[in-house]
């Protein structure tokens, strides 16, 4: 992701206009996110990361030109970006993700929520069924929480857990079952290998657009590790990421992320996920990261126990909000 787009000026917001998102706006959206995260070190340990936002824009928008917008000030300088996404088009919710430039007018948040609610109302009429507008925040994000509650979203019981792990003293190794091996996929992977990886991934998580997968495989800042069974097929995977642009913007904290860990159902309880995760953390440390983070569902006690065994501890819990519209 070294495209030189993290160095534009981000202006203040006297008034704002907005325009539909196009794929040409991706660099601007990611730039705004990096500027926002670097301005507040607490955001470096929270979602969305650069890679997470890119995934949402590539694979989680029902209609990109209607479900995401770029906001501009009077000088046509980008000052905010927002998107409504869901894992599947048929899901009964649309989650709101937004990024506002650090020196923009905070009142822009109200304009973003007004747009989001209008779009969700439009979707409910089209689908003939109500949808929930969802948003999230972490404790201490007082302005964000106030904005969400001002638009009458209510706090939900479920949430996520952020976990963190220092990378300086990792265990030496994790045992693999006999004849299993670990490999790393890159942009050199052939069509059949990419297809096999996509199939395995989609057994556990919502689909990722093939074009986005190829972008990830080509990037040196995103790692794909896979465990192969003795017969050669991929049976488990681990994806990890970091942002050199973010490290450059805030060198005091070189954080990286565990994005996805999954195992084919027939291969579970063999320690494959733990072994992949440990190898991935070791590689992140070798690349210059001092801390790894991840996010998992609060109710997923099994995953948390695996992470805890490798040295992860709970950093914070987020708060989910939603409101039914339509």
């Amino acid at each position: 992701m070294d495209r030189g787009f993290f160095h534009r000026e981000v202006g203040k917001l006297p008034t704002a206009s907005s325009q539909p998102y196009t794929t040409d706006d991706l660099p601007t959206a990611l730039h705004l996110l990096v500027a926002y995260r670097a301005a507040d070190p607490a955001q470096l340990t929270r979602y969305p990361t650069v890679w997470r936002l890119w995934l949402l824009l590539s694979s989680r928008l029902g209609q990109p030109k209607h479900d995401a917008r770029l906001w501009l000030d009077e000088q046509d300088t980008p000052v905010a970006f927002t998107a409504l996404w869901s894992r599947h088009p048929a899901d009964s919710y649309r989650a709101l993700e937004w990024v506002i430039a650090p020196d923009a007018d905070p009142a822009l948040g109200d304009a973003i929520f007004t747009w989001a609610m209008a779009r969700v109302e439009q979707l409910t009429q089209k689908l003939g069924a109500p949808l929930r507008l969802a948003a999230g925040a972490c404790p201490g994000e007082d302005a964000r929480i106030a904005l969400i509650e001002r638009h009458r979203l209510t706090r939900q019981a479920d949430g996520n857990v952020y976990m963190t792990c220092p990378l300086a003293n990792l265990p030496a190794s994790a045992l693999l079952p006999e004849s299993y091996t670990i490999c790393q996929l890159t942009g050199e992977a052939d069509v059949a290998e990419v297809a096999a990886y996509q199939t395995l991934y989609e057994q556990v998580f919502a689909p990722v657009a093939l074009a986005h997968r190829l972008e990830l495989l080509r990037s040196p800042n995103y790692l794909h590790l896979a465990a192969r069974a003795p017969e050669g097929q991929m049976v488990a995977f681990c994806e990890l990421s970091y942002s050199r642009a973010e490290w450059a913007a805030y060198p005091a904290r070189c954080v990286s992320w565990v994005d996805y860990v999954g195992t084919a159902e027939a291969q579970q309880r063999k320690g494959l996920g733990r072994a992949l995760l440990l190898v991935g953390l070791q590689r992140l440390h070798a690349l210059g990261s001092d801390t790894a983070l991840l996010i998992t569902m609060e109710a997923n006690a099994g995953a948390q126990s695996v992470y805890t065994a490798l040295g992860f501890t709970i950093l914070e819990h987020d708060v989910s909000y939603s409101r039914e519209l339509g």
Side-chain angles (χ1 to χ4, degrees), residues 1-2 5-6 30 33-34 37 44 47-52 54 167 184 215-224 239-250 253-260 280-293:
M1 192 183 300
D2 298 318
F5 49 64
F6 296 117
L30 299 181
L33 179 60
V34 169
R37 287 165 66 83
L44 295 174
Y47 261 22
T49 65
V50 167
W51 296 104
R52 173 66 174 174
W54 195 340
L167 299 181
Q184 180 173 343
E215 287 267 13
L216 295 179
L217 286 167
R218 286 191 288 264
S219 173
N221 297 343
Y222 199 96
L223 308 181
H224 292 78
E239 298 183 16
L240 310 101
S241 65
Y242 60 100
S243 169
R244 291 282 184 189
E246 205 166 84
W247 290 2
Y250 197 86
R253 193 81 187 275
C254 293
V255 303
S256 53
W257 288 82
V258 177
D259 292 277
Y260 300 100
L281 295 175
Q282 290 168 340
R283 294 191 184 184
L284 290 173
H285 188 230
L287 288 164
S289 177
D290 52 51
T291 305
L293 294 114

Side-chain angles (χ1 to χ4, degrees), residues 63-75:
Q63 296 180 288
K65 70 177 183 179
H66 296 298
D67 294 334
R69 295 190 77 82
L70 183 68
W71 300 74
L72 311 170
D73 68 7
E74 287 183 330
Q75 288 74 45

Side-chain angles (χ1 to χ4, degrees), residues 3-179:
R3 301 185 183 180
F5 49 64
F6 296 117
H7 307 292
R8 302 180 189 174
E9 292 293 323
V10 177
K12 289 192 175 182
L13 177 74
T15 59
S17 60
S18 66
Q19 63 188 37
Y21 171 76
T22 71
T23 54
D24 290 341
D25 296 321
L26 175 64
T28 300
L30 299 181
H31 158 73
L32 285 168
L33 179 60
V34 169
Y36 169 72
R37 287 165 66 83
D40 179 3
Q43 296 303 324
L44 295 174
T45 60
R46 294 171 180 157
Y47 261 22
T49 65
V50 167
W51 296 104
R52 173 66 174 174
L53 182 57
W54 195 340
L55 169 69
L56 297 181
L57 297 179
S58 74
S59 307
R60 301 288 183 264
L61 300 181
Q63 296 180 288
K65 70 177 183 179
H66 296 298
D67 294 334
R69 295 190 77 82
L70 183 68
W71 300 74
L72 311 170
D73 68 7
E74 287 183 330
Q75 288 74 45
D76 288 333
T77 302
V79 290
F81 181 82
T82 189
L84 282 165
W85 63 273
S86 61
R87 289 183 178 86
H88 300 280
D91 285 341
S92 61
Y93 72 91
R94 294 297 182 270
L96 177 62
E97 201 68 68
W98 73 96
V99 176
I100 300 176
D103 54 356
D105 186 342
L108 180 55
D110 292 299
I112 287 171
F113 264 82
T114 298
W115 164 79
M117 288 189 291
R119 173 58 180 157
V120 174
E121 290 276 12
Q122 184 182 55
L123 286 169
T124 64
Q125 294 174 17
K126 181 179 179 181
L127 296 172
L131 291 172
R132 299 196 73 83
L133 174 63
C138 287
E141 293 185 296
D142 296 340
R144 186 179 179 96
I145 290 172
L147 173 63
I148 293 170
E149 294 182 347
R150 189 158 62 246
H151 291 273
R152 295 191 289 136
L153 278 70
T154 56
R155 184 168 178 166
Q156 305 300 297
D158 58 338
N160 298 302
V161 175
Y162 286 89
M163 302 186 75
T164 181
C165 178
L167 299 181
N169 296 299
L170 293 168
S173 63
L175 293 178
L176 279 170
E178 186 176 358
S179 300

